[in-house]
Amino acid sequence: MPRQVGRTATRAAEFVGQGPPTYEAEPTAWPAAAPGGLDDLVPDTVVDGARYGVLTLRALSLRGDSARYRGEPRRDALLTARFGDGDDALLLVAVASGGRAAEGAHRAARDVCAWLADAVGRSHPRLVEDIRRGRRGELRSGLHRLTDRSYGRLRGRAADLGLRPAEYTAAVRCLLLPADARCRTRVFFGVGAGGLFRLREGAWQDLDPAPREADGNVDPIVGRGTGPADRITVDLGIATPGTARAIDPVEVPSEPFRFRATVARPGDVLLLCSAGLADPLRGEPALGDRLAERWTGQRPPGLAAFLADGQLRVKGYADDRTACAVWEA
């Protein structure tokens, strides 16, 4: 006789905190699609990973519980890229979050990631050399200019679409990681909300850099090419000034540029994330405790296990989550 297979118990979604989140744990509704705009569709979840020398990377981007329930697209974007080969390769991870409730927010996030990646790719040999030699001032200067001009392109795209600059923008955070195992320097830069954390010896450290103050002012990002006057480290690949649409600075609130270069130790886990994960990590200690327990002294998780870790839910936090964790061997 054929063997009957019994029904298995439903596996409950994990959460931390005092109670379960309001929304369901799984996607409910898809965003509306247009016949002529199918290339604009965004998947609910993306997962990626790689291993280079002493580095193991895991990355994910998840649509938030609120967007899943309302049938809205994921506003976060994730881009992972390798430029070059062997010890001269440079790894880039970019995470971006489009403005809340802004039409086309997911497009703005995708655009700024792509434009930053293009500029980094054009200049990766020089960037690798600067990272190896510890030229932090030059890195900061060049990456600031690169980021400023990428935001200038966002302003121009907004104007082309008939939108105000604030309606077509995104927060973006990036990691640059040399593949050379002899170089332990990790470079972070970005603009806007999110988080940079390090798990070292079982304890979380919040590394999110405060904007550098100079003469009482922060380094701005205004999208018109302003920035430090130091030697440019990167080839921006941007049109000659004066050929792009001008945007009145009054329309564009300046954002501080954030930069940090750190030296990793074996056993560290570096976590770059959008605000959707950074906010609950800062607001609910149980989430950080659970992730520290799973990641301290352990082999890096596989993609499925990392996805499960990234889906640990916390009541009151329903935004998209995008993150990349880097394990140091």
Side-chain angles (χ1 to χ4, degrees):
M1 293 182 63
R3 180 180 177 183
Q4 290 187 332
V5 179
R7 297 180 61 185
T8 58
T10 301
R11 181 177 176 180
E14 292 186 274
F15 67 89
V16 294
Q18 297 182 351
T22 302
Y23 296 101
E24 295 183 32
E26 300 298 333
T28 301
W30 284 338
L38 298 181
D39 59 346
D40 196 42
L41 295 178
V42 182
D44 177 271
T45 302
V46 295
V47 185
D48 201 359
R51 185 173 69 246
Y52 290 94
V54 298
L55 301 174
T56 299
L57 296 88
R58 298 288 181 259
L60 59 79
S61 187
L62 306 169
R63 190 162 54 133
D65 291 347
S66 176
R68 285 174 166 179
Y69 176 78
R70 302 176 191 278
E72 297 171 350
R74 174 167 50 87
R75 295 180 296 110
D76 277 10
L78 168 68
L79 185 149
T80 55
R82 172 178 60 86
F83 301 107
D85 298 298
D87 287 345
D88 294 326
L90 181 66
L91 311 179
L92 166 70
V93 179
V95 305
S97 298
R100 187 188 299 273
E103 183 180 355
H106 59 294
R107 301 185 199 102
R110 184 174 57 197
D111 283 346
V112 75
C113 285
W115 291 333
L116 281 168
D118 180 72
V120 168
R122 292 173 185 271
S123 303
H124 80 269
R126 182 58 176 275
L127 287 167
V128 169
E129 184 66 14
D130 284 349
I131 293 172
R132 281 173 172 160
R133 295 186 177 276
R135 298 169 179 158
R136 299 192 182 198
E138 295 172 5
L139 283 165
R140 181 190 179 92
S141 172
L143 293 171
H144 190 169
R145 290 177 180 271
L146 177 158
T147 305
D148 187 81
R149 285 168 169 77
S150 294
Y151 272 82
R153 297 183 69 176
L154 277 182
R155 314 305 187 205
R157 178 64 60 83
D160 291 339
L161 296 173
L163 301 173
R164 293 182 297 109
E167 295 175 327
Y168 198 82
T169 190
V172 65
R173 287 169 170 251
C174 303
L175 275 179
L176 295 178
L177 309 163
D180 187 349
R182 296 166 296 181
C183 181
R184 289 277 190 175
T185 302
R186 314 298 178 227
V187 175
F188 159 84
F189 67 97
V191 175
L196 178 68
F197 303 91
R198 180 170 60 203
L199 181 61
R200 176 172 284 177
E201 297 179 354
W204 285 106
Q205 302 168 348
D206 192 335
L207 302 183
D208 201 42
R212 186 180 69 176
E213 296 189 6
D215 300 326
N217 297 316
V218 299
D219 294 338
I221 288 289
V222 297
R224 294 192 66 194
T226 60
D230 306 22
R231 180 170 61 81
I232 298 176
T233 306
V234 292
D235 173 15
L236 300 170
I238 304 298
T240 302
T243 64
R245 185 186 302 271
I247 303 297
D248 185 348
V250 174
E251 301 178 52
V252 186
S254 63
E255 291 279 357
F257 176 72
R258 299 175 186 270
F259 173 90
R260 180 183 288 273
T262 65
V263 178
R265 298 179 187 172
D268 284 354
V269 182
L270 190 63
L271 178 64
L272 175 78
C273 56
S274 66
L277 183 57
D279 289 349
L281 272 173
R282 294 182 175 121
E284 176 51 70
L287 178 60
D289 292 344
R290 184 73 63 85
L291 293 178
E293 179 183 346
R294 293 184 178 185
W295 294 352
T296 298
Q298 307 292 327
R299 295 181 59 186
L303 294 183
F306 184 70
L307 176 59
D309 293 342
Q311 292 182 113
L312 279 169
R313 307 169 74 228
V314 183
K315 186 177 180 64
Y317 298 95
D319 286 341
D320 297 349
R321 289 184 179 183
T322 302
C324 176
V326 181
W327 276 261
E328 301 276 353

